[in-house]
Amino acid sequence: MDYLPLFHNLRGSRVLVVGGGEIALRKSRLLADAGALLRVVAPEIEVQLRELVQNSGGECVLRGYAEADLEGCVLIIAATDDPLLNAQVSRDAQQRCVPVNVVDAPALCSVIFPAIVDRSPLVIAVSSGGDAPVLARLIRAKLETWIPSTYGQLAGLAARFRTQVKGLFPDVQQRRAFWEDVFQGPIADRQLAGQGAEAEHLLLAKINGTAPVATGEVYLVGAGPGDPDLLTFRALRLMQQADVVLYDRLVAPAILELCRRDADRVYVGKRRAEHAVPQEQINQQLVDLARQGKRVLRLKGGDPFIFGRGGEEIEELAAQGIPFQVVPGITAASGCAAYAGIPLTHRDYAQSVRFITGHLKDGTSDLPWSDLVAPAQTLVFYMGLIGLPIICNELIKHGRSADTPAALIQQGTTSNQRVFTGTLGNLPQLVAEHKVHAPTLVIVGEVVQLREKLKWFEGAQSQI
Ligand code: SAH
């Protein structure tokens, strides 16, 4: 190990920064965040840095560096573009045995800055000892995605009850078991889901020995339209901790792969004609599994609240008092549009966009056709393949031109994505010609013609 990692308490201590430019500013921000009193020395100091110093109670010294500037400082940073000056600052500091960092010059440093993941009070520092800072930053980026941004609040919660818990369990082993339970169970789940008051309530109940019998929880998670890269951080985290997964046909196998390996998987998919598992039965299954204390993942294609019957499922959970959280996903309209190069709105072509179910219940009567033909709006039909001839006919009949550009996007965002463009007039014909099948999204509106203009976009994002 070339460097020993330590965390430096700088609160209220004086730190010297030599240099007044962009790099000095970057370092000064970190130092100010850690509560240091800055002394910035440079003939010129840029405005933002000057403001930062003022706001954090430090001092700006507008002249060249002098050795006396080191006086009373516990840490020295040299951030000038003059290598000789940087070297001199380093020498002076090391002679006085004060830690020194010279930006981008590891040989002149006695201490170096790590890449930081800040979930204060939880802080993670990553260093390559100056050998490969880019690698350290990449690792930092990975950690940023793994560790929810609310992790700091979890540490904060623990801090508030630390003394109390210590009093309750003088034995270290017991105390450790207690906290492990807290950090890996429903209390952490609540806090990470942003429900701080509920988390605190559960923690108090646990401390007082009045915790309710562990019930499970349901995660209603949007898995996006297909490409696993479109999952949210929270979706992935919950997928990796759930005990059982209920999924349907729209969830791509590549996404299912990302669930915890040993989680039970239950297929509850519905096909149009044969309703594999009736909705009420799914609702009941969620309740039953949660009552057994399981963490149940209800994985939905796209977004659970957009034609996903998510509302019905949580209604039942709420009625039965089962805790749940809902994680939004990228809906098919956003995913498919982006991967097909069709902006859903555009200053010149569409000022609004409508998501419509094309699953027509009784023939033609149940859609507000005259609203749908208003100009300058994009229409996106979900589940529109079967009713497509009717949809196109009605739109034309109610006044939308048969030449209106339209697109079919089959299995959007996946490696099997297929896109066909035409007009309202010939869309049903395209379906027959190319044997287009579900899941397919239908986009109608002038914005579809932008796809031609944005051709370059396609190769970069998909394999059409
Ligand atoms: N909750 C989902 C929609 C479920 S309804 C969401 O927010 O995306 C099912 C319909 O969504 C399908 O019939 C199809 O029209 C559309 N759809 C879902 N995923 C799709 C995909 N990858 N490509 C094209 N259409 C998709």
Side-chain angles (χ1 to χ4, degrees), residues 224-226 250 300-308 329-333 336 381-384 409-414 438-442:
L250 274 181
K300 294 265 186 186
D303 182 277
F305 280 1
I306 295 181
F307 305 127
I330 291 188
T331 190
C336 295
F381 288 94
Y382 288 69
M383 300 168 279
I409 303 161
Q410 180 189 310
Q411 288 170 285
T413 80
T414 72
T440 289
L441 199 76
V442 182

Side-chain angles (χ1 to χ4, degrees), residues 10-39:
L10 289 178
R11 205 151 287 281
S13 297
R14 174 89 41 209
V15 174
L16 173 66
V17 177
V18 184
E22 183 62 33
I23 297 169
L25 172 64
R26 236 184 294 146
K27 294 293 178 213
S28 298
R29 277 207 188 105
L30 275 177
L31 296 164
D33 275 351
L37 290 177
L38 295 165
R39 173 183 294 156

Side-chain angles (χ1 to χ4, degrees), residues 132-393:
V134 175
L135 192 63
R137 277 203 293 276
L138 288 177
I139 290 175
R140 188 199 100 173
K142 278 189 197 291
L143 291 171
E144 290 275 10
T145 64
W146 285 340
I147 300 170
S149 58
T150 38
Y151 233 77
Q153 291 166 22
L154 189 58
L157 177 73
R160 288 202 296 284
F161 290 92
R162 199 173 156 213
T163 321
Q164 205 173 337
V165 171
K166 203 166 176 181
L168 198 63
F169 302 110
D171 177 63
V172 174
Q173 294 282 0
Q174 276 184 333
R175 207 155 63 228
R176 187 178 304 152
F178 177 91
W179 284 120
E180 277 176 5
D181 228 32
V182 169
F183 292 138
Q184 296 178 71
I187 298 175
D189 276 353
R190 295 266 77 84
Q191 184 70 60
L192 296 179
Q195 300 160 0
E198 179 66 7
E200 186 159 332
H201 176 74
L202 287 178
L203 182 54
L204 264 172
K206 190 173 170 67
I207 288 172
N208 297 328
T210 55
V213 190
T215 48
E217 189 182 0
V218 175
Y219 314 135
L220 181 61
V221 173
D227 182 347
D229 273 9
L230 296 179
L231 285 169
T232 60
F233 295 151
R234 187 188 288 191
L236 188 60
R237 184 162 50 78
L238 296 179
M239 285 161 68
Q240 290 180 349
Q241 73 180 35
D243 303 307
V244 49
V245 185
L246 276 73
Y247 67 101
D248 47 46
R249 192 164 50 107
L250 274 181
V251 176
I255 288 180
L256 213 52
E257 276 299 297
L258 296 172
C259 292
R260 217 177 86 194
R261 289 257 162 253
D262 56 347
D264 291 335
R265 294 173 188 194
V266 185
Y267 177 72
V268 292
K270 287 168 292 196
R271 285 164 219 276
R272 269 196 89 267
E274 10 133 8
H275 282 249
V277 182
Q279 187 64 45
E280 300 72 45
Q281 212 168 313
I282 298 177
N283 300 351
Q284 192 55 47
Q285 219 169 342
L286 293 174
V287 171
D288 293 346
L289 286 165
R291 286 243 166 86
Q292 292 164 21
K294 297 211 163 105
R295 289 168 297 184
V296 188
L297 175 71
R298 175 67 175 112
L299 204 52
K300 294 265 186 186
D303 182 277
F305 280 1
I306 295 181
F307 305 127
R309 306 190 75 170
E312 294 162 53
E313 291 176 11
I314 56 173
E315 218 173 283
E316 185 61 22
L317 298 171
Q320 303 286 335
I322 306 283
F324 62 85
Q325 42 180 307
V326 182
V327 182
I330 291 188
T331 190
S334 307
C336 295
Y339 279 53
I342 302 173
L344 292 177
T345 65
H346 188 283
R347 275 171 70 98
D348 300 334
Y349 303 105
Q351 276 76 55
S352 70
V353 54
R354 284 176 90 134
F355 296 171
I356 306 153
T357 169
H359 184 45
L360 306 171
K361 280 200 194 100
D362 46 7
T364 62
S365 60
D366 58 350
L367 285 180
W369 299 111
S370 24
D371 291 357
L372 301 185
V373 297
Q377 67 171 328
T378 304
L379 306 179
V380 180
F381 288 94
Y382 288 69
M383 300 168 279
L385 219 43
I386 305 278
L388 194 64
I390 298 174
I391 292 170
C392 294
N393 259 338

Side-chain angles (χ1 to χ4, degrees), residues 24-66:
L25 172 64
R26 236 184 294 146
K27 294 293 178 213
S28 298
R29 277 207 188 105
L30 275 177
L31 296 164
D33 275 351
L37 290 177
L38 295 165
R39 173 183 294 156
V40 178
V41 178
E44 274 174 52
I45 300 177
E46 74 160 64
V47 182
Q48 271 178 297
L49 180 51
R50 234 182 295 169
E51 280 172 8
L52 177 76
V53 173
Q54 258 155 24
N55 296 338
S56 58
E59 54 177 336
C60 288
V61 183
L62 284 166
R63 56 156 172 73
Y65 160 79

